[in-house]
Amino acid sequence: MQFVYALRSKGVTDGRVLTAMEKVDRAKFVRGIFADRAYDDMPLPISSGQTISQPSVVGLMTQALQVSNRDKVLEIGTGSGYQAAILSHLARRVYTIDRYRRIVSEARGVFEELDLGNIIPFAGDGSYGLPEHAPFDRILVTAAAEDPPPLLLAQLRVGGIMVVPVGQSDAVQNLIRVTRTDTGYEYDELRQVRFVPLVEGMGD
Ligand code: SAH
């Protein structure tokens, strides 16, 4: 309950998002010595030098994505799998990609343990998206890109929304919401964030 109060105080007010976040135990996605910090509002280290995002940032990004239970969602940057697990309670189906095979296989294990059957994890370079499953109603990028990746924009359906941190990886980035319209794309700046970079190619 403390966890939900903390989220509310940081601006996560959408009831569906808060309910989904209440259902997903963050401790399942954090290993070893950091497990007892799972309910703190801070990013934590996971495998392969990556991080599980701060819960309030996960909440604000999920809220900005305006997911409905009919949506097919693509997430770039599976990491711990925490964000995908929250999306799985809000969407019809969640495709998630990470460039580290180890990260994907660990996340897949947690999705199976939690019986989250509507998440489909892939190992691959997320900058290419998943053309064979496009178009997507929603796309969430959880690594910082220098610009919204053009191949991902192309896989958004008309009326669809993409949320992506944009900026250099060593600086503060802007969280951007892109809405695809009949004639092009509309961009809104939401807030400042800090994410690890979107890196081309597969990880080790
Ligand atoms: N959403 C995650 C946190 C993401 S951390 C969570 O809920 O825990 C960012 C992740 O993006 C890292 O795991 C990193 O390996 C991945 N990543 C970076 N560049 C990528 C790319 N081009 N394709 C796929 N994944 C990428």
Side-chain angles (χ1 to χ4, degrees):
M1 222 43 220
Q2 196 59 45
F3 187 67
V4 171
Y5 285 130
L7 290 171
R8 275 187 193 281
S9 76
K10 299 274 174 74
V12 185
T13 51
D14 183 308
R16 285 185 73 234
V17 173
L18 288 168
T19 303
M21 292 186 77
E22 250 180 320
K23 285 185 191 153
V24 179
D25 182 1
R26 190 168 181 254
K28 296 275 185 208
F29 300 86
V30 182
R31 275 155 225 269
I33 54 168
F34 295 104
D36 58 351
R37 311 304 297 271
Y39 307 113
D40 293 353
D41 192 27
M42 52 166 68
L44 294 170
I46 57 167
S47 303
S48 306
Q50 304 303 314
T51 52
I52 176 171
S53 312
Q54 190 175 341
S56 59
V57 172
V58 170
L60 292 167
M61 287 174 86
T62 309
Q63 188 166 283
L65 203 61
Q66 299 170 8
V67 183
S68 94
N69 57 13
R70 296 177 304 277
D71 287 343
K72 185 166 81 173
V73 182
L74 173 64
E75 180 197 24
I76 311 301
T78 312
S80 65
Y82 179 62
Q83 171 76 73
I86 291 161
L87 290 170
S88 83
H89 289 287
L90 296 167
R92 179 164 58 86
R93 185 171 291 173
V94 181
Y95 294 88
T96 182
I97 318 181
D98 205 284
R99 58 192 289 274
Y100 287 100
R101 290 180 204 287
R102 173 167 173 206
I103 281 210
V104 174
S105 79
E106 286 180 0
R108 181 180 285 119
V110 183
F111 300 149
E112 279 167 12
E113 182 192 334
L114 299 181
D115 212 10
L116 301 175
N118 65 341
I119 306 179
I120 303 136
F122 286 88
D125 182 348
S127 348
Y128 296 95
L130 285 175
E132 62 279 32
H133 298 290
F136 296 97
D137 302 295
R138 299 289 184 266
I139 299 178
L140 180 57
V141 185
T142 65
E146 291 190 9
D147 292 296
L151 296 174
L152 296 182
L153 288 173
Q155 290 173 32
L156 199 57
R157 79 159 166 78
V158 172
I161 296 174
M162 172 158 101
V163 172
V164 52
V166 173
Q168 303 288 334
S169 59
D170 54 358
V172 168
Q173 303 128 12
N174 276 316
L175 190 64
I176 308 283
R177 175 166 52 201
V178 186
T179 308
R180 185 166 189 175
T181 66
D182 286 330
T183 49
Y185 297 90
E186 279 171 11
Y187 295 83
D188 292 308
E189 270 187 30
L190 303 177
R191 54 178 271 129
Q192 298 202 312
V193 285
R194 259 200 119 116
F195 274 83
V196 298
L198 190 73
V199 179
E200 276 181 33
M202 289 299 288
D204 302 329

mmCIF file of all heavy atoms in Angstrom, residues 46 50-53 58 75-84 97-100 103 124-127 142-143 195-201, ligand 1:
data_model
loop_
_atom_site.group_PDB
_atom_site.id
_atom_site.type_symbol
_atom_site.label_atom_id
_atom_site.label_comp_id
_atom_site.label_asym_id
_atom_site.label_seq_id
_atom_site.Cartn_x
_atom_site.Cartn_y
_atom_site.Cartn_z
ATOM 1 N N ILE A 46 20.281 -4.839 -12.763
ATOM 2 C CA ILE A 46 19.894 -6.217 -13.113
ATOM 3 C C ILE A 46 21.046 -6.835 -13.903
ATOM 4 O O ILE A 46 22.146 -6.300 -13.900
ATOM 5 C CB ILE A 46 18.554 -6.251 -13.893
ATOM 6 C CG1 ILE A 46 18.627 -5.391 -15.158
ATOM 7 C CG2 ILE A 46 17.406 -5.811 -13.007
ATOM 8 C CD1 ILE A 46 17.486 -5.614 -16.139
ATOM 9 N N GLN A 50 22.463 -3.721 -16.964
ATOM 10 C CA GLN A 50 21.264 -2.931 -17.263
ATOM 11 C C GLN A 50 20.534 -2.581 -15.967
ATOM 12 O O GLN A 50 20.987 -2.938 -14.889
ATOM 13 C CB GLN A 50 20.368 -3.701 -18.232
ATOM 14 C CG GLN A 50 21.084 -4.098 -19.513
ATOM 15 C CD GLN A 50 21.664 -2.897 -20.253
ATOM 16 O OE1 GLN A 50 20.991 -1.876 -20.415
ATOM 17 N NE2 GLN A 50 22.913 -2.995 -20.675
ATOM 18 N N THR A 51 19.413 -1.862 -16.071
ATOM 19 C CA THR A 51 18.684 -1.476 -14.859
ATOM 20 C C THR A 51 17.195 -1.732 -15.005
ATOM 21 O O THR A 51 16.652 -1.701 -16.111
ATOM 22 C CB THR A 51 18.862 0.040 -14.546
ATOM 23 O OG1 THR A 51 18.530 0.784 -15.710
ATOM 24 C CG2 THR A 51 20.269 0.370 -14.120
ATOM 25 N N ILE A 52 16.556 -1.990 -13.871
ATOM 26 C CA ILE A 52 15.090 -1.973 -13.792
ATOM 27 C C ILE A 52 14.736 -0.527 -13.461
ATOM 28 O O ILE A 52 15.335 0.080 -12.577
ATOM 29 C CB ILE A 52 14.556 -2.970 -12.744
ATOM 30 C CG1 ILE A 52 13.036 -2.883 -12.589
ATOM 31 C CG2 ILE A 52 15.203 -2.824 -11.391
ATOM 32 C CD1 ILE A 52 12.426 -4.016 -11.709
ATOM 33 N N SER A 53 13.791 0.034 -14.201
ATOM 34 C CA SER A 53 13.477 1.458 -14.043
ATOM 35 C C SER A 53 12.830 1.733 -12.689
ATOM 36 O O SER A 53 12.305 0.833 -12.031
ATOM 37 C CB SER A 53 12.532 1.912 -15.147
ATOM 38 O OG SER A 53 12.999 1.471 -16.400
ATOM 39 N N VAL A 58 8.084 4.145 -14.397
ATOM 40 C CA VAL A 58 7.306 3.095 -15.068
ATOM 41 C C VAL A 58 5.825 3.500 -15.077
ATOM 42 O O VAL A 58 5.135 3.422 -16.103
ATOM 43 C CB VAL A 58 7.491 1.730 -14.355
ATOM 44 C CG1 VAL A 58 6.519 0.686 -14.880
ATOM 45 C CG2 VAL A 58 8.931 1.249 -14.510
ATOM 46 N N GLU A 75 7.068 -3.379 -26.649
ATOM 47 C CA GLU A 75 8.026 -2.727 -25.747
ATOM 48 C C GLU A 75 9.442 -3.002 -26.254
ATOM 49 O O GLU A 75 9.784 -4.158 -26.531
ATOM 50 C CB GLU A 75 7.914 -3.275 -24.320
ATOM 51 C CG GLU A 75 8.918 -2.591 -23.393
ATOM 52 C CD GLU A 75 9.190 -3.303 -22.065
ATOM 53 O OE1 GLU A 75 8.998 -4.530 -21.973
ATOM 54 O OE2 GLU A 75 9.606 -2.624 -21.127
ATOM 55 N N ILE A 76 10.254 -1.958 -26.342
ATOM 56 C CA ILE A 76 11.667 -2.131 -26.682
ATOM 57 C C ILE A 76 12.471 -1.993 -25.396
ATOM 58 O O ILE A 76 12.388 -0.954 -24.722
ATOM 59 C CB ILE A 76 12.148 -1.052 -27.694
ATOM 60 C CG1 ILE A 76 11.194 -0.931 -28.889
ATOM 61 C CG2 ILE A 76 13.586 -1.334 -28.135
ATOM 62 C CD1 ILE A 76 11.003 -2.172 -29.687
ATOM 63 N N GLY A 77 13.237 -3.024 -25.038
ATOM 64 C CA GLY A 77 14.033 -2.981 -23.805
ATOM 65 C C GLY A 77 13.343 -3.739 -22.689
ATOM 66 O O GLY A 77 12.844 -3.152 -21.727
ATOM 67 N N THR A 78 13.316 -5.070 -22.788
ATOM 68 C CA THR A 78 12.639 -5.916 -21.792
ATOM 69 C C THR A 78 13.240 -5.734 -20.401
ATOM 70 O O THR A 78 12.502 -5.690 -19.415
ATOM 71 C CB THR A 78 12.789 -7.409 -22.181
ATOM 72 O OG1 THR A 78 12.450 -7.563 -23.554
ATOM 73 C CG2 THR A 78 11.945 -8.308 -21.309
ATOM 74 N N GLY A 79 14.586 -5.657 -20.328
ATOM 75 C CA GLY A 79 15.263 -5.536 -19.036
ATOM 76 C C GLY A 79 14.797 -6.631 -18.091
ATOM 77 O O GLY A 79 14.795 -7.818 -18.435
ATOM 78 N N SER A 80 14.338 -6.231 -16.905
ATOM 79 C CA SER A 80 13.886 -7.214 -15.910
ATOM 80 C C SER A 80 12.567 -7.873 -16.305
ATOM 81 O O SER A 80 12.209 -8.916 -15.757
ATOM 82 C CB SER A 80 13.681 -6.506 -14.577
ATOM 83 O OG SER A 80 12.613 -5.577 -14.713
ATOM 84 N N GLY A 81 11.799 -7.208 -17.177
ATOM 85 C CA GLY A 81 10.461 -7.699 -17.516
ATOM 86 C C GLY A 81 9.362 -7.017 -16.712
ATOM 87 O O GLY A 81 8.166 -7.261 -16.942
ATOM 88 N N TYR A 82 9.740 -6.141 -15.775
ATOM 89 C CA TYR A 82 8.753 -5.505 -14.878
ATOM 90 C C TYR A 82 7.738 -4.662 -15.657
ATOM 91 O O TYR A 82 6.522 -4.788 -15.460
ATOM 92 C CB TYR A 82 9.512 -4.664 -13.849
ATOM 93 C CG TYR A 82 8.631 -3.927 -12.866
ATOM 94 C CD1 TYR A 82 7.789 -4.620 -12.002
ATOM 95 C CD2 TYR A 82 8.647 -2.533 -12.796
ATOM 96 C CE1 TYR A 82 6.986 -3.941 -11.088
ATOM 97 C CE2 TYR A 82 7.863 -1.847 -11.879
ATOM 98 C CZ TYR A 82 7.027 -2.559 -11.036
ATOM 99 O OH TYR A 82 6.238 -1.880 -10.137
ATOM 100 N N GLN A 83 8.245 -3.810 -16.546
ATOM 101 C CA GLN A 83 7.343 -2.961 -17.323
ATOM 102 C C GLN A 83 6.400 -3.810 -18.191
ATOM 103 O O GLN A 83 5.208 -3.531 -18.279
ATOM 104 C CB GLN A 83 8.181 -2.006 -18.198
ATOM 105 C CG GLN A 83 7.389 -1.205 -19.208
ATOM 106 C CD GLN A 83 6.619 -0.053 -18.591
ATOM 107 O OE1 GLN A 83 7.200 0.953 -18.191
ATOM 108 N NE2 GLN A 83 5.300 -0.194 -18.514
ATOM 109 N N ALA A 84 6.942 -4.850 -18.815
ATOM 110 C CA ALA A 84 6.106 -5.721 -19.664
ATOM 111 C C ALA A 84 5.019 -6.389 -18.827
ATOM 112 O O ALA A 84 3.877 -6.547 -19.279
ATOM 113 C CB ALA A 84 6.977 -6.769 -20.351
ATOM 114 N N ILE A 97 11.138 -6.860 -26.625
ATOM 115 C CA ILE A 97 12.422 -7.252 -27.225
ATOM 116 C C ILE A 97 13.571 -6.692 -26.401
ATOM 117 O O ILE A 97 13.521 -5.536 -25.962
ATOM 118 C CB ILE A 97 12.644 -6.625 -28.629
ATOM 119 C CG1 ILE A 97 11.394 -6.658 -29.474
ATOM 120 C CG2 ILE A 97 13.806 -7.273 -29.346
ATOM 121 C CD1 ILE A 97 11.627 -6.077 -30.855
ATOM 122 N N ASP A 98 14.619 -7.502 -26.240
ATOM 123 C CA ASP A 98 15.868 -6.987 -25.665
ATOM 124 C C ASP A 98 17.044 -7.525 -26.481
ATOM 125 O O ASP A 98 16.974 -8.608 -27.071
ATOM 126 C CB ASP A 98 16.019 -7.380 -24.193
ATOM 127 C CG ASP A 98 16.917 -6.389 -23.456
ATOM 128 O OD1 ASP A 98 18.162 -6.458 -23.640
ATOM 129 O OD2 ASP A 98 16.388 -5.519 -22.725
ATOM 130 N N ARG A 99 18.154 -6.764 -26.477
ATOM 131 C CA ARG A 99 19.317 -7.169 -27.268
ATOM 132 C C ARG A 99 20.204 -8.181 -26.539
ATOM 133 O O ARG A 99 21.151 -8.695 -27.119
ATOM 134 C CB ARG A 99 20.124 -5.944 -27.719
ATOM 135 C CG ARG A 99 20.603 -5.077 -26.597
ATOM 136 C CD ARG A 99 21.139 -3.750 -27.127
ATOM 137 N NE ARG A 99 22.391 -3.925 -27.832
ATOM 138 C CZ ARG A 99 23.586 -3.948 -27.251
ATOM 139 N NH1 ARG A 99 23.700 -3.833 -25.931
ATOM 140 N NH2 ARG A 99 24.664 -4.099 -27.966
ATOM 141 N N TYR A 100 19.917 -8.439 -25.254
ATOM 142 C CA TYR A 100 20.660 -9.474 -24.508
ATOM 143 C C TYR A 100 19.818 -10.743 -24.378
ATOM 144 O O TYR A 100 18.750 -10.711 -23.767
ATOM 145 C CB TYR A 100 21.009 -8.981 -23.108
ATOM 146 C CG TYR A 100 22.097 -7.940 -23.084
ATOM 147 C CD1 TYR A 100 21.775 -6.596 -22.952
ATOM 148 C CD2 TYR A 100 23.438 -8.300 -23.200
ATOM 149 C CE1 TYR A 100 22.775 -5.619 -22.931
ATOM 150 C CE2 TYR A 100 24.438 -7.336 -23.178
ATOM 151 C CZ TYR A 100 24.096 -6.002 -23.052
ATOM 152 O OH TYR A 100 25.074 -5.047 -23.035
ATOM 153 N N ILE A 103 19.075 -11.667 -20.698
ATOM 154 C CA ILE A 103 17.999 -10.858 -20.115
ATOM 155 C C ILE A 103 16.639 -11.408 -20.547
ATOM 156 O O ILE A 103 15.719 -11.554 -19.738
ATOM 157 C CB ILE A 103 18.199 -9.383 -20.564
ATOM 158 C CG1 ILE A 103 19.277 -8.774 -19.703
ATOM 159 C CG2 ILE A 103 16.896 -8.608 -20.597
ATOM 160 C CD1 ILE A 103 19.189 -7.307 -19.454
ATOM 161 N N GLY A 124 16.543 -9.624 -29.776
ATOM 162 C CA GLY A 124 16.805 -8.991 -31.066
ATOM 163 C C GLY A 124 17.107 -7.520 -30.882
ATOM 164 O O GLY A 124 17.038 -7.002 -29.758
ATOM 165 N N ASP A 125 17.444 -6.874 -31.987
ATOM 166 C CA ASP A 125 17.676 -5.427 -31.956
ATOM 167 C C ASP A 125 16.335 -4.719 -32.144
ATOM 168 O O ASP A 125 15.752 -4.740 -33.232
ATOM 169 C CB ASP A 125 18.666 -5.043 -33.072
ATOM 170 C CG ASP A 125 18.982 -3.550 -33.063
ATOM 171 O OD1 ASP A 125 18.280 -2.789 -32.356
ATOM 172 O OD2 ASP A 125 19.916 -3.143 -33.765
ATOM 173 N N GLY A 126 15.881 -4.116 -31.060
ATOM 174 C CA GLY A 126 14.562 -3.481 -31.060
ATOM 175 C C GLY A 126 14.451 -2.274 -31.965
ATOM 176 O O GLY A 126 13.335 -1.836 -32.260
ATOM 177 N N SER A 127 15.561 -1.723 -32.429
ATOM 178 C CA SER A 127 15.435 -0.552 -33.326
ATOM 179 C C SER A 127 14.720 -0.912 -34.622
ATOM 180 O O SER A 127 14.209 -0.040 -35.309
ATOM 181 C CB SER A 127 16.776 0.078 -33.699
ATOM 182 O OG SER A 127 17.818 -0.384 -32.937
ATOM 183 N N THR A 142 11.976 1.740 -23.750
ATOM 184 C CA THR A 142 12.484 1.968 -22.393
ATOM 185 C C THR A 142 14.003 2.067 -22.389
ATOM 186 O O THR A 142 14.661 1.669 -21.435
ATOM 187 C CB THR A 142 11.961 0.900 -21.402
ATOM 188 O OG1 THR A 142 12.484 -0.372 -21.766
ATOM 189 C CG2 THR A 142 10.458 0.840 -21.379
ATOM 190 N N ALA A 143 14.556 2.601 -23.485
ATOM 191 C CA ALA A 143 15.976 2.952 -23.561
ATOM 192 C C ALA A 143 16.019 4.249 -24.357
ATOM 193 O O ALA A 143 15.122 4.517 -25.165
ATOM 194 C CB ALA A 143 16.762 1.851 -24.267
ATOM 195 N N PHE A 195 17.567 7.311 -18.920
ATOM 196 C CA PHE A 195 17.543 5.885 -19.281
ATOM 197 C C PHE A 195 18.887 5.474 -19.825
ATOM 198 O O PHE A 195 19.655 6.306 -20.309
ATOM 199 C CB PHE A 195 16.459 5.628 -20.348
ATOM 200 C CG PHE A 195 15.104 5.377 -19.756
ATOM 201 C CD1 PHE A 195 14.285 6.435 -19.393
ATOM 202 C CD2 PHE A 195 14.667 4.085 -19.505
ATOM 203 C CE1 PHE A 195 13.045 6.213 -18.810
ATOM 204 C CE2 PHE A 195 13.438 3.853 -18.923
ATOM 205 C CZ PHE A 195 12.623 4.914 -18.585
ATOM 206 N N VAL A 196 19.167 4.159 -19.785
ATOM 207 C CA VAL A 196 20.349 3.642 -20.473
ATOM 208 C C VAL A 196 20.085 3.780 -21.979
ATOM 209 O O VAL A 196 18.944 3.852 -22.411
ATOM 210 C CB VAL A 196 20.659 2.168 -20.093
ATOM 211 C CG1 VAL A 196 20.960 2.047 -18.608
ATOM 212 C CG2 VAL A 196 19.529 1.228 -20.480
ATOM 213 N N PRO A 197 21.153 3.835 -22.796
ATOM 214 C CA PRO A 197 20.950 4.097 -24.224
ATOM 215 C C PRO A 197 20.383 2.921 -25.004
ATOM 216 O O PRO A 197 20.620 1.761 -24.660
ATOM 217 C CB PRO A 197 22.369 4.411 -24.722
ATOM 218 C CG PRO A 197 23.273 3.740 -23.764
ATOM 219 C CD PRO A 197 22.569 3.733 -22.435
ATOM 220 N N LEU A 198 19.662 3.240 -26.059
ATOM 221 C CA LEU A 198 19.283 2.264 -27.078
ATOM 222 C C LEU A 198 20.548 2.038 -27.900
ATOM 223 O O LEU A 198 21.116 2.977 -28.445
ATOM 224 C CB LEU A 198 18.177 2.874 -27.940
ATOM 225 C CG LEU A 198 17.482 1.953 -28.916
ATOM 226 C CD1 LEU A 198 16.555 0.990 -28.178
ATOM 227 C CD2 LEU A 198 16.654 2.754 -29.920
ATOM 228 N N VAL A 199 21.004 0.780 -27.937
ATOM 229 C CA VAL A 199 22.284 0.456 -28.585
ATOM 230 C C VAL A 199 21.979 -0.467 -29.771
ATOM 231 O O VAL A 199 21.164 -1.376 -29.635
ATOM 232 C CB VAL A 199 23.213 -0.266 -27.585
ATOM 233 C CG1 VAL A 199 24.537 -0.646 -28.238
ATOM 234 C CG2 VAL A 199 23.446 0.604 -26.360
ATOM 235 N N GLU A 200 22.630 -0.203 -30.900
ATOM 236 C CA GLU A 200 22.381 -1.055 -32.080
ATOM 237 C C GLU A 200 23.014 -2.432 -31.946
ATOM 238 O O GLU A 200 24.024 -2.587 -31.267
ATOM 239 C CB GLU A 200 22.943 -0.380 -33.325
ATOM 240 C CG GLU A 200 21.987 0.627 -33.901
ATOM 241 C CD GLU A 200 22.533 1.265 -35.146
ATOM 242 O OE1 GLU A 200 23.266 0.577 -35.903
ATOM 243 O OE2 GLU A 200 22.229 2.450 -35.352
ATOM 244 N N GLY A 201 22.428 -3.396 -32.592
ATOM 245 C CA GLY A 201 22.980 -4.755 -32.645
ATOM 246 C C GLY A 201 22.662 -5.559 -31.397
ATOM 247 O O GLY A 201 22.074 -5.035 -30.450
HETATM 248 N N1 SAH B 1 11.827 -1.989 -19.261
HETATM 249 C C1 SAH B 1 12.861 -2.539 -18.413
HETATM 250 C C2 SAH B 1 14.033 -1.595 -18.186
HETATM 251 C C3 SAH B 1 14.771 -1.328 -19.442
HETATM 252 S S1 SAH B 1 16.494 -0.975 -19.259
HETATM 253 C C4 SAH B 1 12.295 -3.021 -17.089
HETATM 254 O O1 SAH B 1 11.082 -2.941 -16.872
HETATM 255 O O2 SAH B 1 13.069 -3.549 -16.275
HETATM 256 C C5 SAH B 1 16.845 -0.830 -20.990
HETATM 257 C C6 SAH B 1 16.948 -2.144 -21.723
HETATM 258 O O3 SAH B 1 17.014 -1.815 -23.121
HETATM 259 C C7 SAH B 1 18.193 -2.933 -21.410
HETATM 260 O O4 SAH B 1 17.868 -4.219 -20.955
HETATM 261 C C8 SAH B 1 18.945 -2.989 -22.744
HETATM 262 O O5 SAH B 1 19.612 -4.229 -22.986
HETATM 263 C C9 SAH B 1 17.820 -2.777 -23.741
HETATM 264 N N2 SAH B 1 18.227 -2.275 -25.060
HETATM 265 C C10 SAH B 1 19.085 -1.284 -25.366
HETATM 266 N N3 SAH B 1 19.190 -1.146 -26.703
HETATM 267 C C11 SAH B 1 18.347 -2.060 -27.265
HETATM 268 C C12 SAH B 1 17.996 -2.411 -28.611
HETATM 269 N N4 SAH B 1 18.532 -1.809 -29.682
HETATM 270 N N5 SAH B 1 17.113 -3.407 -28.790
HETATM 271 C C13 SAH B 1 16.551 -4.058 -27.741
HETATM 272 N N6 SAH B 1 16.846 -3.770 -26.450
HETATM 273 C C14 SAH B 1 17.731 -2.786 -26.215
#
